[in-house]
Amino acid sequence: METMNEEKLIKYLLQESDSEETKAVQEWISEDEKNQKQFEEIEWVWNSSKILLDKSEVDENKAWQRFTELRNEKVGSKPKQNQRFLQSNWFRVAAAVTLLFVSAWVYSAFLPQSGRAYFSSVELQSEDSPIEVSLLDGTQITLNKNTALDYTQKLFATQRKVNLKSGEAFFDVKRNENKPFVIQNEKVQITVLGTSFHVKTSQNTTEVIVVSGSVQVEIDGKKEVLKPDEKLSVNQLTGEMIKTLPSNKLYNYYVSRKFQADGIPLEELVATLREAYGATIEINREEIKTLPITTTLEYGSLSKNLEVLSETLNLNISQRDSKFIIQ
């Protein structure tokens, strides 16, 4: 009877084996009845442990009692088979797997998203306000409002994967040279080892601005590497990539909780206020759109921030229904 590599079997149970490894395990299982029985034993221990992890939010004592009952039922139903199993190398492997996941269950309450990203995709979504989220690897993400993404960090995977579905987010990635951090946004792929950067998706455009470290952006086989204080706009339809310098630092408002304007045109600040508050703000006089403004506004009350603009630039700001008019 051929011996199967233990790591391949565990990867197979985790559904992280490649096509060749999967085929090899399946052939090994089917070629001998003893292989089949041994695989069923370790699979049972695995599934029992997984049940514990999935139910990490229930009462600890009840969960442990249920696991003990399952184990005893199994022992009672197949005494001879389990006796042979206890004497085999497979028992030690199964016991190690059980210990791993029982331990994971015990401290999973202290892990981000209860450690679910080790085994499956975890969805994160913000609604009417930005949220800060920690990932399993220590990466910090700030999601602006109305942003959705999902991520996985599976145990045997070679990458840490994020799928940015909509909105914008700021990533402060924990460095791991052995597991690159990869963000997918439709056709655009962003790869980093450890850095901080902003990603925004709107309509058919993906925008990337790097704060620290370096970021590789790829679409349709074309690649660009960004350094700190560089900005890249990617057209999802044509694949065109345009690298520039950010005209201001307002993109970071949902992270810093401040609108930092340093001699920028008034219309750029107003455009960001529109986006941040979902408000209708109009500048009625062309000549004041380009007025330079230097100020720092807290991401708080829109009315108070408009008052600051009015006082700083000596402007008249009025409100008609839900519309603000600057003149």
Side-chain angles (χ1 to χ4, degrees):
M1 180 178 63
E2 182 183 353
T3 301
M4 172 57 62
N5 181 281
E6 297 172 356
E7 182 179 342
K8 288 184 179 180
L9 277 173
I10 295 174
K11 288 178 69 175
Y12 180 78
L13 287 169
L14 286 167
Q15 298 182 348
E16 293 184 9
S17 55
D18 58 31
S19 58
E20 292 184 3
E21 291 171 331
T22 298
K23 182 180 178 182
V25 171
Q26 292 174 344
E27 289 178 350
W28 176 83
I29 293 172
S30 61
E31 72 183 10
D32 192 292
E33 184 178 350
K34 292 182 179 179
N35 294 352
Q36 173 72 28
K37 289 181 178 180
Q38 288 181 343
F39 178 76
E40 287 176 354
E41 294 288 354
I42 194 171
E43 184 181 37
W44 173 80
V45 176
W46 155 257
N47 288 333
S48 299
S49 302
K50 192 175 180 183
I51 289 171
L52 280 177
L53 186 65
D54 289 341
K55 296 184 179 298
S56 61
E57 295 180 0
V58 304
D59 180 77
E60 181 177 325
N61 294 326
K62 289 182 179 179
W64 178 254
Q65 182 181 355
R66 178 58 181 155
F67 175 74
T68 304
E69 290 171 357
L70 285 171
R71 183 192 60 197
N72 292 339
E73 288 173 7
K74 186 68 176 178
V75 171
S77 63
K78 296 184 178 181
K80 293 183 180 179
Q81 183 174 338
N82 280 340
Q83 185 175 6
R84 291 195 302 271
F85 179 58
L86 288 171
Q87 298 171 349
S88 70
N89 288 333
W90 287 110
F91 173 74
R92 288 192 290 272
V93 175
V97 172
T98 301
L99 178 61
L100 172 64
F101 288 100
V102 168
S103 299
W105 169 72
V106 171
Y107 68 74
S108 62
F110 301 99
L111 290 177
Q113 300 84 49
S114 297
R116 294 194 308 277
Y118 281 142
F119 309 98
S120 62
S121 178
V122 175
E123 185 168 337
L124 303 175
Q125 185 165 351
S126 60
E127 296 182 352
D128 296 331
S129 60
I131 61 173
E132 296 181 7
V133 182
S134 297
L135 304 191
L136 284 176
D137 64 341
T139 292
Q140 302 291 322
I141 302 180
T142 303
L143 284 70
N144 202 357
K145 63 179 183 178
N146 303 320
T147 296
L149 61 80
D150 58 59
Y151 85 102
T152 60
Q153 294 183 349
K154 293 186 177 181
L155 293 174
F156 289 97
T158 57
Q159 296 179 333
R160 297 168 286 169
K161 295 183 179 180
V162 171
N163 176 29
L164 180 59
K165 299 177 181 179
S166 61
E168 60 185 317
F170 186 88
F171 296 83
D172 189 356
V173 177
K174 186 75 171 180
R175 188 173 185 84
N176 185 340
E177 296 183 2
N178 297 320
K179 279 193 176 185
F181 194 95
V182 178
I183 301 170
Q184 195 73 38
N185 175 228
E186 296 185 21
K187 295 193 295 181
V188 175
Q189 180 173 289
I190 303 164
T191 305
V192 303
L193 295 177
T195 182
S196 57
F197 57 99
H198 156 91
V199 181
K200 179 179 181 179
T201 175
S202 59
Q203 297 180 342
N204 297 313
T205 301
T206 297
E207 174 186 283
V208 182
I209 301 175
V210 176
V211 175
S212 65
S214 62
V215 170
Q216 176 182 281
V217 183
E218 179 178 357
I219 184 171
D220 298 333
K222 296 182 292 184
K223 300 178 182 179
E224 282 281 0
V225 175
L226 299 181
K227 300 295 184 181
D229 297 322
E230 290 185 336
K231 173 183 175 180
L232 188 71
S233 296
V234 185
N235 189 310
Q236 294 274 5
L237 299 179
T238 65
E240 181 183 18
M241 295 191 284
I242 300 176
K243 184 188 290 189
T244 59
L245 299 177
S247 60
N248 57 62
K249 294 185 178 181
L250 292 172
Y251 68 88
N252 203 33
Y253 73 88
Y254 63 96
V255 181
S256 64
R257 308 297 295 177
K258 298 178 186 295
F259 301 96
Q260 296 177 307
D262 185 12
I264 64 173
L266 174 63
E267 61 182 343
E268 290 186 17
L269 176 56
V270 169
T272 302
L273 294 176
R274 286 194 200 103
E275 177 184 295
Y277 292 101
T280 302
I281 309 172
E282 295 181 357
I283 302 177
N284 275 3
R285 290 163 51 199
E286 288 294 323
E287 63 271 21
I288 66 174
K289 289 183 179 180
T290 56
L291 283 177
I293 181 168
T294 299
T295 187
T296 298
L297 306 176
E298 298 291 334
Y299 190 8
S301 166
L302 173 59
S303 297
K304 289 183 179 179
N305 285 335
L306 291 177
E307 287 178 14
V308 173
L309 293 187
S310 175
E311 294 171 1
T312 303
L313 297 178
N314 194 26
L315 301 173
N316 180 29
I317 301 179
S318 59
Q319 182 176 0
R320 297 175 188 172
D321 298 323
S322 59
K323 180 189 298 185
F324 295 91
I325 301 172
I326 302 175
Q327 54 190 4

